[in-house]
Amino acid sequence: MNKQFHTKLKEDTKPFHDLLESQTLPKKLYTLSITKEEYIKYLEIFLMIHICIEDEIVKFPQWESFGIDARRYLRKELLKQDLSLLGVNDVSSHTQQLKIDDFETALGYLYVLTGSTMGGMVLSKKVSEVFANTPYENANLYFNAFGVDTQKMFMEFMRTLEMYASSLSEDKKNNIIKGAKECYIFVKEGLENG
Ligand code: HEM
C-alpha cells in the first residue's frame, strides 16, 4: 500500500521541526524560563511571520475548490490580542519580503502553521504556568488556537490535503513538501533575526 501523503510530509519535514524546538525562545518557553519581555518578542516575531504568510495564502482562488475556507485557519488576530493583553498595542508593521508562487507551496505553508497548533496545546499550558497569578496568564490565545476544536481543525485540514494530494502528480506533491520546508526555514530565520 502507498504511504499516506501526511506520513511522508511529516517524516520529510521532521528535522526542520526539531530544529525549531531547539531555538532559544521556544526552548525558553518550553522550559518555563521565558521573561515577559522575551515572550513579547516571541509573539512579535510570530506576528510578523503570520502576517507575511497569511497575506500571501489568502490570495489564491483555489481554496474554494480545495474545500476548506483558509480564512478560518488564520491566527494573526490572536497574536495581536495576546500582545494587547501584555500591554503592547502599537504592533510594528515591519514585515519580511515573502512571495508564495503556487497553490501547492501555499498548502505546505498552511500545513506548518496549522500543525503548529499541536505543539501549541502544550505551549499554551506553559504560558499559563510561567505567568500564573499575573495579569498575563491568559495571554495564550495564539497557542490555544481554535480552543476545543484545535485537533479537529488540524485533522480536517489534513483529511482535505490527503484527498487533494491523491489527485496530484509527484511534482506537485513535492511542491507541498517544499512549501512546508520553506515555511520552517522562514520561521527559523524569523526567530534568529527577530
Ligand atoms: C517548543 C516548541 C515546540 C514544541 C514543544 C512542539 C511540539 C510539537 C508536538 C508535541 C507536536 C505533535 C506531534 C505528534 O502528534 O506527532 C507537534 C506537531 C507539529 N508542530 Fe510543533 N512544536 C514546537 C514548535 C513548533 C513550531 C514553531 C512550528 C511551526 C511554526 C511547529 C510545527 C508543527 C507541525 C507542522 C506539527 C504537525 C506535524 C504533523 O502531525 O504532521 N512546531 N509539535
Side-chain angles (χ1 to χ4, degrees), residues 13-27:
T13 55
K14 189 176 183 309
F16 293 79
H17 179 271
D18 296 352
L19 219 55
L20 282 189
E21 277 190 49
S22 60
Q23 290 286 310
T24 308
L25 287 174
K27 206 160 73 192

Side-chain angles (χ1 to χ4, degrees), residues 20-21 23 25-26 29 38-54 75-80 82-83 94-95 112-113 116 123 142-143 183-184 186-188 190-192 194:
L20 282 189
E21 277 190 49
Q23 290 286 310
L25 287 174
L29 176 55
E38 286 167 336
Y39 184 49
I40 289 173
K41 186 82 218 161
Y42 186 104
L43 294 172
E44 284 176 340
I45 291 169
F46 274 85
L47 178 60
M48 182 281 289
I49 290 167
H50 274 257
I51 290 175
C52 293
I53 297 174
E54 292 179 358
R75 286 190 293 147
K76 68 180 176 198
E77 293 308 322
L78 296 177
L79 285 158
K80 286 184 189 165
D82 283 335
L83 282 163
H94 164 76
T95 52
V112 173
L113 294 191
S116 77
L123 298 176
Y142 171 67
F143 292 120
C183 184
Y184 275 122
F186 190 67
V187 173
K188 181 171 168 285
L191 281 165
E192 281 168 358

Side-chain angles (χ1 to χ4, degrees), residues 59-74:
K59 284 183 190 159
F60 290 91
Q62 288 96 324
W63 289 110
E64 211 166 312
S65 55
F66 179 74
I68 63 162
D69 182 356
R71 283 167 304 187
R72 284 172 53 226
Y73 286 81
L74 307 184

Side-chain angles (χ1 to χ4, degrees), residues 114-153:
T114 306
S116 77
T117 63
M118 296 299 98
M121 294 194 285
V122 180
L123 298 176
S124 117
K125 294 198 184 79
K126 301 283 181 186
V127 174
S128 318
E129 209 176 325
V130 80
F131 297 121
N133 306 315
T134 76
Y136 318 118
E137 75 180 305
N138 296 319
N140 59 357
L141 300 171
Y142 171 67
F143 292 120
N144 253 330
F146 315 113
V148 290
D149 288 335
T150 300
Q151 192 129 19
K152 204 171 92 191
M153 291 277 285

